[in-house]
């Protein structure tokens, strides 16, 4: 099955063409085409994602990225018949005028590619930006008569571990098979969740953050330290430099919020406030102190994530742990979770490759395939839903 997948939930405009084979239990994926436009440079100025700007960028970039992936996958052919677009397209794209303009100009010139399904992220995420992707998918579906599989972004992060490749951090990810019951620790800019997966597509949220998401905390602390957006990679870089410089723990001890509480919830906003107070007390900090703070913050987040996850691993007799989402690109977090395999024998720990940790459209194609091939009826409507949660369709 050939899947065209579209992701616009935040600040990455991404489109892929993925060939999926096998079954939900044993899937195989090949990437035929992948194109992504990251808006990070644009949002850097604002210190975070500015939704209206993101929406405008998605509108501008979707058609060029589609042409790029079709060319890469060798599915790009010019249309010889003079096909007219259905008038409905004007209605579907009425709120995306720039996308409508490009759609009318280019899509009739492209021959229908051999695509079996369009997977599109419908949520969770920024609703205005999600709509751009959803309306683009609806328009393509109407013109080319291809069905749409509305896809949950977080299910995408879970599926991101299924691409069998060794990653750039040196931890081999060769056994990317999920054994059940599985546990997913989802750590991104918008979410921090521990999700029990009893069997494919059967989710139960065990706990989540009560305030800031882990990635959000990295971004906010980075901003306090004068580092650029997104803050996660900057903090982990400084933390690494500090670890290389000195062995012992530093003097800037930060709290480990909720580390001993009898639940699976998290809280990161206190950690951010603690950094703020330390900075205020210090008045002026040196570069070396910045590195110390970055390291201590990185350690504090990692320890809390590890302890809470360990509780769930033991209590639910988990066979596979999935650590996914943008923060899973963090080397300290990856190494600490990989080390859990030893004390908990029989446990496999899966990460996405570094590239597939942050938002991308390949994971959306993989999640859509799992749903389609498990023959579960789609329960998600084809409409953007910024607060979309996990919907169980397996009984
Ligand atoms: O999954 P993602 O790309 O987008 C959302 O769905 O939110 O996650 C983005 C988040 C950002 O907060 C970014 O700072 C964080 O992932 N991140 C990291 C690292 N790389 C990205 N956090 C910590 N360490 C990193 N190396
Ligand atoms: Zn994400």
């Amino acid at each position: 099955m050939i899947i065209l997948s579209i992701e616009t939930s935040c600040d990455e405009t991404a489109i892929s063409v993925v060939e999926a084979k096998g079954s939900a239990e044993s899937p195989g994926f090949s990437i035929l085409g992948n194109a992504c436009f990251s808006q990070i440079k644009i949002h850097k100025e604002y210190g975070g994602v500015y939704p209206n700007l993101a929406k405008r960028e998605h509108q501008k970039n979707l058609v060029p990225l589609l042409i790029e992936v079709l060319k890469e996958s060798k599915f790009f052919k010019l249309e010889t018949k003079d096909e007219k677009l259905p008038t409905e397209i004007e209605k579907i794209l009425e709120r995306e005028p720039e996308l409508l303009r490009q759609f009318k100009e280019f899509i009739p010139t492209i021959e229908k590619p051999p695509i079996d399904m369009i997977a599109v992220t419908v949520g969770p995420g920024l609703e205005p930006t999600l709509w751009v992707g959803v309306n683009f998918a609806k328009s393509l579906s109407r013109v080319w008569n291809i069905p749409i599989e509305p896809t949950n972004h977080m299910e995408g992060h879970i599926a991101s571990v299924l691409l069998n490749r060794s990653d750039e951090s040196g931890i081999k990810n060769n056994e990317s098979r999920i054994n059940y019951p599985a546990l997913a620790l989802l750590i991104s800019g918008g979410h921090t969740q521990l999700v029990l997966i009893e069997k494919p597509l059967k989710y139960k949220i065990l706990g989540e953050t009560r305030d800031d998401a882990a990635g959000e905390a990295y971004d906010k602390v980075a901003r306090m330290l004068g580092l650029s957006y997104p803050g996660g990679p900057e903090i982990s870089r400084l933390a690494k430099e500090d670890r290389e410089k000195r062995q012992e723990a530093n003097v800037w001890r930060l709290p480990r919020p909720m580390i001993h509480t009898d639940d699976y919830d998290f809280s990161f906003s206190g950690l951010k406030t603690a950094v703020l107070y330390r900075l205020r007390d210090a008045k002026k900090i040196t570069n070396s102190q910045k590195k110390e703070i970055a390291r201590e913050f990185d350690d504090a987040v990692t320890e809390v994530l590890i302890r809470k996850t360990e509780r769930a691993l033991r209590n639910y007799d988990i066979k596979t742990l999935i650590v996914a989402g943008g923060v899973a690109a963090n080397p300290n977090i990856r190494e600490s979770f990989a080390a859990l395999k030893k004390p908990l024998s029989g446990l496999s720990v899966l990460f996405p490759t570094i590239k597939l940790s942050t938002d991308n459209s390949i994971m959306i194609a993989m999640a859509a395939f799992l749903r389609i091939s498990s023959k579960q009826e789609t329960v998600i409507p084809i409409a953007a839903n910024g607060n979309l949660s996990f919907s169980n369709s397996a009984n």
Side-chain angles (χ1 to χ4, degrees), residues 167-179:
D167 66 40
E168 297 99 315
S169 79
I171 297 163
K172 295 273 185 229
N173 188 13
N174 285 335
E175 293 166 18
S176 55
R177 192 190 156 83
I178 302 174
N179 296 311

Side-chain angles (χ1 to χ4, degrees), residues 9-12 38-51 54 126 188-190 215-235 237 358-359:
S9 70
C10 192
D11 58 352
E12 317 278 341
S38 169
Q39 303 175 6
I40 283 177
K41 280 207 185 105
I42 296 161
H43 296 287
K44 250 187 181 147
E45 246 181 79
Y46 302 88
V49 181
Y50 187 55
L126 302 170
S188 68
E216 192 180 354
Y218 272 94
D219 294 340
K220 287 179 175 169
V221 168
R223 202 182 312 167
M224 288 177 204
L225 294 176
L227 306 169
S228 63
Y229 173 83
E234 292 291 304
I235 297 227
R237 183 175 56 81
T358 48
D359 288 350

Side-chain angles (χ1 to χ4, degrees), residues 79-108:
E79 178 68 275
T80 45
K81 291 172 279 169
D82 190 15
E83 293 269 347
K84 283 268 170 307
L85 280 181
T87 51
E88 261 170 86
I89 301 299
E90 303 265 351
K91 183 99 194 90
I92 300 173
L93 293 176
E94 72 183 347
R95 284 167 185 241
E96 285 84 25
E98 172 59 19
L99 178 57
L100 175 64
R101 188 191 65 73
Q102 293 191 24
F103 199 96
K104 288 205 292 205
E105 184 177 346
F106 294 104
I107 303 303

Side-chain angles (χ1 to χ4, degrees), residues 69-360:
V69 283
L70 290 180
K71 284 186 174 160
E72 192 188 343
S73 55
K74 309 270 185 296
F75 291 156
F76 182 84
K77 287 207 182 74
L78 289 173
E79 178 68 275
T80 45
K81 291 172 279 169
D82 190 15
E83 293 269 347
K84 283 268 170 307
L85 280 181
T87 51
E88 261 170 86
I89 301 299
E90 303 265 351
K91 183 99 194 90
I92 300 173
L93 293 176
E94 72 183 347
R95 284 167 185 241
E96 285 84 25
E98 172 59 19
L99 178 57
L100 175 64
R101 188 191 65 73
Q102 293 191 24
F103 199 96
K104 288 205 292 205
E105 184 177 346
F106 294 104
I107 303 303
T109 67
I110 305 170
E111 202 174 283
K112 177 186 172 179
I115 283 163
D116 303 298
M117 177 172 92
I118 299 172
V120 62
T121 305
V122 292
L126 302 170
E127 220 158 275
T129 68
L130 286 163
W131 272 119
V132 184
V134 170
N135 288 335
F136 185 53
K138 278 183 164 177
S139 307
L140 288 176
S141 162
R142 175 69 185 80
V143 174
W144 288 336
N145 194 24
I146 300 171
I148 296 181
E149 181 62 19
T151 304
N152 182 320
H153 181 83
M154 301 315 285
E155 227 171 273
H157 277 302
I158 293 175
S160 70
V161 301
L162 292 172
L163 205 66
N164 201 345
R165 274 189 207 161
S166 66
D167 66 40
E168 297 99 315
S169 79
I171 297 163
K172 295 273 185 229
N173 188 13
N174 285 335
E175 293 166 18
S176 55
R177 192 190 156 83
I178 302 174
N179 296 311
Y180 298 91
L183 180 75
L185 172 68
L186 301 176
I187 36 179
S188 68
H191 288 78
T192 301
Q193 291 180 322
L194 268 172
V195 185
L196 175 67
I197 317 169
E198 281 161 4
K199 51 183 173 175
L201 308 181
K202 176 100 176 129
Y203 306 107
K204 185 177 174 208
I205 298 174
L206 299 179
E208 51 197 328
T209 182
R210 296 190 180 174
D211 38 60
D212 294 348
E216 192 180 354
Y218 272 94
D219 294 340
K220 287 179 175 169
V221 168
R223 202 182 312 167
M224 288 177 204
L225 294 176
L227 306 169
S228 63
Y229 173 83
E234 292 291 304
I235 297 227
S236 55
R237 183 175 56 81
L238 293 193
K240 182 168 172 262
E241 284 178 23
D242 196 66
R243 286 186 194 104
E244 280 163 359
K245 206 166 82 187
R246 68 186 118 230
Q247 279 248 302
E248 76 278 13
N250 58 42
V251 288
W252 287 73
R253 181 78 185 163
L254 288 169
R256 270 61 176 159
M258 293 185 70
I259 197 162
H260 297 301
T261 56
D262 192 18
D263 54 28
Y264 303 105
D265 284 344
F266 303 91
S267 165
F268 294 110
S269 79
L271 200 46
K272 170 194 72 191
T273 316
V275 174
L276 184 73
Y277 289 155
R278 299 282 166 94
L279 290 177
R280 207 180 279 166
D281 293 346
K283 290 194 181 73
K284 196 176 175 303
I285 55 160
T286 62
N287 275 341
S288 158
Q289 283 170 323
K290 251 190 206 180
K291 289 180 190 173
E292 280 186 38
I293 300 170
R295 173 184 179 171
E296 174 63 6
F297 174 79
D298 202 39
D299 282 346
V301 175
T302 307
E303 274 175 45
V304 174
L305 293 174
I306 287 273
R307 286 290 97 74
K308 286 287 164 110
T309 306
E310 263 182 336
R311 282 196 64 210
L313 290 174
R314 292 210 165 86
N315 290 348
Y316 290 92
D317 198 16
I318 299 298
K319 304 279 186 299
T320 299
L321 169 65
I322 294 161
V323 183
V327 182
N330 180 295
N332 193 49
I333 292 177
R334 287 171 94 91
E335 280 158 28
S336 307
F337 276 97
L340 285 180
K341 270 189 286 193
K342 263 199 185 146
L344 297 169
S345 62
L347 177 77
S348 62
V349 184
L350 303 180
F351 306 93
T353 63
I354 300 282
K355 277 209 184 97
L356 289 191
S357 298
T358 48
D359 288 350
N360 63 86

